Amino acid sequence: MPIDTRRALLFMPGDDRRKIEKGAHLEVDSIIMDLEDGVAVSNKALARDVTRTALQEITFGNSECLVRINPVTDDRLFQDDLLLTFAGRPQGYMIPKVETPEQLQVIDQRLTELEHQYQIAEHSTILLALIETARGVVNLREIAQASPRLRALCFGAEDLAGDMGAIRTSDGWEGFYAKSAVVLHAKAFDLQAIDTPFIDLRADDALLSAETERSAQMGYTGKLAIHPRQVGVIQQVFTPTATQIDRARRLIASHEEHQINGVGVFVFEGKMVDMPMIRAANTILTRARSAGIRV
Ligand code: COA
Ligand code: MG
């Protein structure tokens, strides 16, 4: 699995070695060891130790390993989060509650210092930004351009609802503007868009699948996960099906034939086709390839 494929990203508390070990065997695209809200305040120091040691000792296969640190506004915590986990060499960090580009720049500079200290390639540590406050949403344009390390914008619906005094609904309409803004800015600045976790663990898998499907329809290519059971469901939705791949291939072949004959627009299986549909077909093939499917 190429490292830039992030369909499911599974959170686990950074102080829970058992869950981290479980996560290592799930063939999930990304693992996120959390030091922020999934860890009790009294366990923050322990979580840094457990996370660093787990990174050093456990074999994670093809899964990308990320650490979610505490927000930059919490100066006491985030500095130690970076300092005390960097030796584990996670591929990157997830930064929560990002509200300004300066907050990402502070992290960027600190990582550059650490990369020098550890004599590893500058900018090899990547960043994912969680957008989960009203200020984060209104500053998306600047945040999206804040650091060359940035790979993805992630939408956090729970915190956003809390920040706005909104009430969470099952179809998430209260966060729709923000959810739409996150994916739009991600696409505008060549970043990945990753959707909020589905937190109802009693709900049927079909509900998670349907929610993930709706995110995919909006252009999201990944979703945060909180339980091993969610990984397969999410990764499946973000992997093009054999039927979709076959159709995309035939559509592109037909397009190329028409181009040779000087025809730009044509009818394919009863529908008009021109360049936007060809681009969409190419996107399906790219996503299939990055999910490890030979096309
Ligand atoms: N990562 C890895 N393994 C996990 C896991 C996760 N996120 N969630 C559960 N598991 C494991 C459990 O350890 C358990 O295995 P075990 O019986 O061998 O110990 C198995 O999967 C089944 O777990 P289950 O009993 O259904 O869940 P739980 O009650 O132990 O935990 C949560 C429920 C919500 C606490 C747990 O799923 C979790 O910690 N999720 C991540 C929370 C988080 O990081 N939040 C911050 C970001 S939103
Ligand atoms: Mg949050």
Side-chain angles (χ1 to χ4, degrees):
M1 182 81 46
I3 211 77
D4 253 0
T5 302
R6 296 182 195 87
R7 293 167 300 177
L9 303 88
L10 179 63
F11 273 117
M12 52 208 67
D15 56 351
D16 193 334
R17 170 87 181 207
R18 185 181 174 86
K19 285 191 182 131
I20 299 173
E21 279 172 8
K22 288 222 135 195
H25 295 106
L26 295 171
E27 296 189 9
V28 57
D29 291 345
S30 301
I31 283 173
I32 310 172
M33 290 163 233
D34 185 28
L35 304 177
E36 198 215 6
D37 287 349
V39 173
V41 176
S42 56
N43 262 16
K44 297 283 184 188
L46 173 70
R48 293 179 194 121
D49 279 352
V50 172
T51 294
R52 184 191 59 252
T53 318
L55 282 164
Q56 289 166 334
E57 294 175 354
I58 299 172
T59 305
F60 289 93
N62 287 326
S63 301
E64 173 183 62
C65 291
L66 305 169
V67 175
R68 180 168 77 169
I69 62 172
N70 286 280
V72 182
T73 45
D74 207 330
D75 195 48
R76 288 166 310 129
L77 290 177
F78 93 86
Q79 294 280 6
D80 280 350
D81 291 346
L82 291 176
L83 184 67
L84 300 173
T85 57
F86 195 82
R89 294 296 301 115
Q91 274 109 339
Y93 288 92
M94 171 176 274
I95 317 302
K97 302 181 179 68
V98 176
E99 299 198 310
T100 66
E102 290 78 18
Q103 292 177 344
L104 286 184
Q105 283 150 10
V106 166
I107 306 275
D108 185 317
Q109 277 162 25
R110 187 70 191 102
L111 288 175
T112 300
E113 289 164 17
L114 286 165
E115 284 164 348
H116 285 169
Q117 191 184 323
Y118 282 79
Q119 298 184 327
I120 56 173
E122 192 173 314
H123 287 138
S124 53
T125 316
I126 65 163
L127 293 176
L128 282 72
L130 249 174
I131 305 299
E132 48 185 349
T133 63
R135 280 190 75 195
V137 175
V138 301
N139 288 332
L140 265 166
R141 182 202 286 250
E142 290 73 31
I143 291 168
Q145 303 172 81
S147 162
R149 299 176 186 276
L150 192 61
R151 293 291 187 282
L153 299 175
C154 314
F155 175 53
E158 307 303 326
D159 271 291
L160 180 68
D163 190 49
M164 291 173 62
I167 294 165
R168 284 285 278 142
T169 62
S170 55
D171 47 12
W173 69 267
E174 73 289 345
F176 186 72
Y177 170 78
K179 182 167 175 163
S180 194
V182 167
V183 64
L184 195 67
H185 285 82
K187 302 290 158 160
F189 297 103
D190 265 335
L191 301 169
Q192 191 192 351
I194 298 169
D195 192 25
T196 197
F198 183 80
I199 60 163
D200 187 352
L201 292 174
R202 287 168 315 177
D204 197 89
D205 285 354
L207 286 177
L208 168 62
S209 184
E211 181 174 294
T212 311
E213 200 79 62
R214 281 195 296 277
S215 309
Q217 287 162 358
M218 290 177 72
Y220 278 87
T221 54
K223 189 169 175 67
L224 298 168
I226 52 163
H227 193 279
R229 229 184 68 202
Q230 300 182 330
V231 170
V233 179
I234 293 173
Q235 293 194 164
Q236 192 182 357
V237 172
F238 288 121
T239 308
T241 62
T243 314
Q244 288 170 325
I245 294 168
D246 177 59
R247 185 179 180 280
R249 259 159 123 200
R250 287 187 293 106
L251 181 56
I252 291 165
S254 177
H255 162 74
E256 282 165 2
E257 241 178 75
H258 280 90
Q259 285 285 317
I260 290 168
N261 298 324
V263 179
V265 60
F266 59 99
V267 176
F268 183 81
E269 294 175 351
K271 290 196 179 119
M272 186 207 80
V273 169
D274 63 359
M275 279 318 286
M277 294 77 166
I278 302 304
R279 285 190 204 105
N282 274 311
T283 302
I284 287 178
L285 298 188
T286 306
R287 279 176 44 215
R289 272 186 219 104
S290 78
I293 299 169
R294 278 188 32 210
V295 295

